Amino acid sequence: MAMSKASRGLFSLIRHSAPPSRPYIRSHLISFRSKGTNPSSASVATAAAAVAAAAAGVSARSGFVSWYLGMIEARPILTKSITAGVIFTAGDFSSQMITLCPDMPYDPMRTLRMAAYGVLLSGPSLHLWFNFLSKILPKRDLITTFKKMILGQTLYGPILNSVFFSFNAALQGESVPEIIARLKRDLIPTFKNGLIYWPLCDFITFKFVPVRLQPLVSNSFAFLWTIYITYMAGLKKPCLENVKEEASAQLH
């Protein structure tokens, strides 16, 4: 009897001295303690946050692309003109950062001239040119693509380069003889370098890109080209006496 009481007292002491068990919350997916942390839950939360951030980034980019395509449909000339202005601005800024000597200051007016050319002339002319080509040469087979490339290199390119140099020179206050001298000096080298750079760009544009997006793709290719031609346009105006001497030497 005494032994039985002792046993009950010992069991009661053990039961009351043991730490209370922690309740569990269970479901068909997870089971964890209400107090304490599952080591894998932190990594799962981190991964979920990373996935959510990546999805938000993709959504933002796709949202911008959708908006831009909508603007091309709604206001094609305005959208392409602003796009060309932005590309010419970035191209001239890059050109100055690359070519200017350390002691030469940045010329914001030059960048402004290039931006104006992109908005007023390059963007609208590209829109009209690509639409014109799509009407007279609607196919996108290999032969038609080469025809478009030839027209671009022999007709559109030389005309647009002439307009570009003349426009930039006129905004700098150069006279008509000075503009003509600049064209004689800069147009032929620009045309030769264009024959090296543009054929592959034009082939990709005409062969694989829809007409409504061709000005955008062409402007994207034009970024590197803009760095070059803005550098050429930024050269000092030629001396008229030297131009006359070169012309007379060629005649004789």
Side-chain angles (χ1 to χ4, degrees), residues 18-192:
S21 60
R22 295 178 181 175
Y24 284 78
I25 302 174
R26 299 180 180 273
S27 70
H28 66 287
L29 294 177
I30 58 172
S31 174
F32 61 92
R33 294 187 177 185
S34 60
K35 294 182 181 180
T37 305
N38 190 336
S40 63
S41 63
S43 59
V44 171
T46 303
V51 171
V58 172
S59 177
R61 287 192 294 270
S62 63
F64 173 78
V65 172
S66 299
W67 172 82
Y68 185 83
L69 294 177
M71 290 300 297
I72 287 181
E73 293 292 339
R75 298 179 178 179
I77 296 180
L78 177 62
T79 303
K80 295 167 186 176
S81 297
I82 294 175
T83 301
V86 170
I87 291 174
F88 268 84
T89 299
D92 182 69
F93 179 81
S94 301
S95 178
Q96 293 197 49
M97 293 299 101
I98 294 171
T99 60
L100 289 180
C101 297
D103 58 338
M104 295 180 66
Y106 169 73
D107 185 1
M109 292 305 298
R110 172 179 147 177
T111 301
L112 186 60
R113 290 195 302 270
M114 302 307 166
Y117 171 80
V119 172
L120 299 176
L121 295 173
S122 178
S125 67
L126 281 173
H127 171 80
L128 297 174
W129 174 250
F130 284 120
N131 280 294
F132 169 73
L133 287 181
S134 67
K135 289 180 180 178
I136 65 171
L137 298 169
K139 297 181 180 179
R140 295 172 65 179
D141 58 278
L142 197 61
I143 299 300
T144 304
T145 299
F146 279 113
K147 289 180 180 179
K148 293 177 181 179
M149 291 169 57
I150 293 172
L151 286 174
Q153 292 300 313
T154 59
L155 184 62
Y156 179 77
I159 291 175
L160 198 66
N161 286 333
S162 301
V163 172
F164 171 76
F165 287 120
S166 302
F167 177 85
N168 181 72
L171 290 181
Q172 295 183 82
E174 296 182 13
S175 63
V176 173
E178 290 172 335
I179 293 175
I180 294 175
R182 180 182 287 276
L183 292 175
K184 289 180 179 179
R185 184 192 67 182
D186 298 338
L187 197 59
I188 297 301
T190 303
F191 176 74
K192 290 180 179 178

Side-chain angles (χ1 to χ4, degrees), residues 192-202 220-225:
K192 290 180 179 178
N193 289 324
L195 289 177
I196 298 173
Y197 180 77
W198 278 109
L200 178 60
C201 302
D202 286 343
S220 300
F221 286 129
F223 174 74
L224 293 177
W225 179 251

